[in-house]
Amino acid sequence: MNNKFFAETLIRWYTHQHRDLPWRQTRNPYYIWLSEIILQQTRVAQGLPYYERFVSTYPTITDLANAPEQEVIRLWQGLGYYSRARNLHQTAKHIAYQLNGVFPSTYNELLKLKGIGPYTAAAIASFAFDEAVAVVDGNVYRVLARVFGVDLDIASSQGQKKFAQLAAELISIEQPALYNQAIMEFGAVHCTPTSPDCLLCPFQGVCAANLTGRVAHLPVKIKKTKVRVRHFHYFILMKDGQLAMNLRTERDIWQQLYDFYLVETEHSDATLDSLPLPSFLQQALSQSVVSQPSETITHILSHQRIQARFWQVALPPGFDLELPSSLRFFTQEEIDELPKPVLVSTYWKARFFE
Ligand code: SF4
């Protein structure tokens, strides 16, 4: 199959079949960048309301740059991978203040920005500035592997080199934005991982995977992601109608979000007596009414499975306790405004507003 036929067929398919999404109606690099960062590891249906909220709260990159980080993270709450929100905010500040609000317009310049990798740089450069640089994401790997019968592991360096080379050869020089949109959309809605519509496919007669019965085997992805299981024991210190919330500052999940005081163990079978508790907490527990632990709640992240239990610790009124610097008491109204991981937010709402 020649390259022109491939690109033209995709663009023709896209013209008739694509979903009408708001970031496709714009050439504004700021909006395109927002949509691409939100949609990383997020389905379109889940990401769409976040995109709309960000655009209406921060209509320009300067509005985003001027916002307090906590507010940005609060708006991001529920999307996970919070480093994306922090990078988004830092890059907005860099563009607004160091680059005078002018969004870099080439692939190479975009790559220098924090939180922007080859895929996002290619997306912004092509969608906003018509640069002929090919996007290569999971959808593109799948379409190319199947149509051209490439059976190299997509996680291997050899595979990545081959796919990048193929993608660069295939992109339409005349219509790079449309071509990139088309191949990503085709992978997302037509040539899907488990139910590709081969019967009604414009590549049916030329697709190598279809012709050789290898659709279910391509693309080849050998590396399996290891899931880490973590055991969280949360202590909810309550005093005078307020709860102690902990600002997470370490390099870990949920950085700059608030949770309760956390004790983590290697194993699930820890009892209250066997937990490694700091002295301030031991002192608090000795003076307080402590609830039975909650049922274990399982919270799934992409590479981690959190098994969490919660203890409520009702401190005596006016009890004076020296807390770690990351922990302080907040009213319910204040907690409502704090950025919190979904696990904490869900438990807090269910327990305190049931
Ligand atoms: S024929 Fe099937 S596997 Fe090949 S591109 Fe079309 S939908 Fe994908």
Side-chain angles (χ1 to χ4, degrees), residues 146-147 186 190-191 196-198 201 203-204 207 210 215:
R146 287 175 175 171
V147 174
F186 185 73
H190 193 101
C191 189
D197 191 358
C198 300
C201 181
F203 296 111
Q204 191 197 38
C207 169
N210 189 41
V215 174

Side-chain angles (χ1 to χ4, degrees), residues 129-189:
F129 303 109
D130 261 330
E131 185 175 340
V133 48
V135 291
V136 186
D137 70 346
N139 289 320
V140 175
Y141 279 127
R142 187 167 55 258
V143 173
L144 296 183
R146 287 175 175 171
V147 174
F148 295 92
V150 183
D151 57 6
L152 294 171
D153 175 12
I154 61 170
S156 69
S157 56
Q158 199 193 359
Q160 290 185 354
K161 215 166 144 191
K162 171 74 185 167
F163 282 104
Q165 188 190 347
L166 189 56
E169 285 166 13
L170 290 165
I171 190 169
S172 162
I173 304 297
E174 297 79 33
Q175 297 174 291
L178 208 51
Y179 169 87
N180 275 341
Q181 294 279 18
I183 190 164
M184 287 163 68
E185 185 74 346
F186 185 73
V189 305

